[in-house]
Amino acid sequence: MTHGSGSEETGSPEAEPPEAGSPAVLDHLVYATPDLDRTLAEIAELTGVRPVTGGSHPGRGTCNHLLGLGGGAYFEIIGPDPEQPAPDGPRWFGIDALTGPRLVTWAVRVTGIAARVAAARARGHDPGTPVAMSRRTPDGGRLAWQLTPPGAGAGLAPFLLDWGDTPHPSGGALPVLPLVSLTASHPDPGAARAELAALGVRWPGEPVTAGPTGLTAVLAGRHGRVAFGRGAVAV
């Protein structure tokens, strides 16, 4: 599946709740790691491209680096921020429990996040209460957004992200490694499809297959294709 070439509808043709604003689209993939420097070096070696600095998430104990995926989406590499003290609670994305890097979840970009959450709850899936966040960019700018609490790889449902009036990170000078394919497995693919339908979200990849819960993204690097799942490997 080439990113942007089409996707399978997960759920009924009316899965998109009209009260939730414009259709949800893939915003970014989240590759979490307990050792950010080591993972960035590995990605640079495998792909021939060094991810660019994103910024710190104040109070969350994390910082990120980014790559573009094409089509208005990006690839986030996130891990502990050495410039911040340990947060009061666990870091998001299950980072504190990771023993190595993993593609843990994905985000969809929405408008009207409160209405989207209400519609999902009415359909039997609670994505959580939206939280406001912000971070500084390397050039001194400020990004602000709202998102529902992200998962840590326990399921396939994405978290929702509303950028409001903030310019999208993919619009900056990100090096682009095109998304070639995105695949997923789940012990109960029907249940996964039901959650996506409740969110009004299309799965942007091949049909979900039966198996242990997991995501794998293949990106086109300068040295060839690289698969990111539980770790990264040239393919």
Side-chain angles (χ1 to χ4, degrees):
M1 186 279 297
T2 301
H3 179 55
S5 65
S7 60
E8 184 201 20
E9 173 77 38
T10 53
S12 71
E14 297 181 337
E16 191 64 45
E19 65 272 33
S22 60
V25 297
L26 174 64
D27 187 82
H28 68 277
L29 304 176
V30 180
Y31 192 60
T33 175
D35 188 334
L36 194 54
D37 286 343
R38 181 175 180 177
T39 298
L40 292 172
E42 180 182 38
I43 291 173
E45 181 177 359
L46 284 170
T47 67
V49 177
R50 179 83 181 184
V52 302
T53 300
S56 295
H57 305 112
R60 297 289 176 183
T62 56
C63 60
N64 65 12
H65 286 64
L66 309 176
L67 292 167
L69 293 174
Y74 66 96
F75 190 78
E76 177 184 29
I77 305 96
I78 186 168
D81 183 359
E83 302 299 320
Q84 289 190 60
D88 293 336
R91 292 177 177 89
W92 275 354
F93 306 112
I95 286 172
D96 297 322
L98 290 175
T99 57
R102 180 184 174 193
L103 187 63
V104 290
T105 190
W106 56 299
V108 291
R109 185 161 66 252
V110 302
T111 58
I113 192 169
R116 175 79 59 169
V117 168
R121 287 171 174 166
R123 292 170 177 233
H125 174 69
D126 186 0
T129 300
V131 175
M133 288 188 64
S134 66
R135 69 170 172 83
R136 291 290 179 182
T137 60
D139 62 4
R142 181 177 180 271
L143 302 180
W145 64 94
Q146 293 184 73
L147 79 167
T148 56
L156 294 184
F159 61 99
L160 309 179
L161 198 157
D162 188 340
W163 288 100
D165 296 329
T166 292
H168 193 260
S170 68
L174 296 183
V176 174
L177 298 183
L179 177 60
V180 177
S181 66
L182 182 62
T183 56
S185 60
H186 190 277
D188 186 346
R193 287 193 293 270
E195 288 188 342
L196 293 174
L199 289 168
V201 169
R202 296 172 185 266
W203 167 246
E206 304 300 328
V208 177
T209 59
T213 301
L215 295 168
T216 301
V218 176
L219 310 187
R222 302 282 170 79
H223 306 318
R225 294 181 174 182
V226 180
F228 294 87
R230 291 183 178 272
V233 62
V235 294

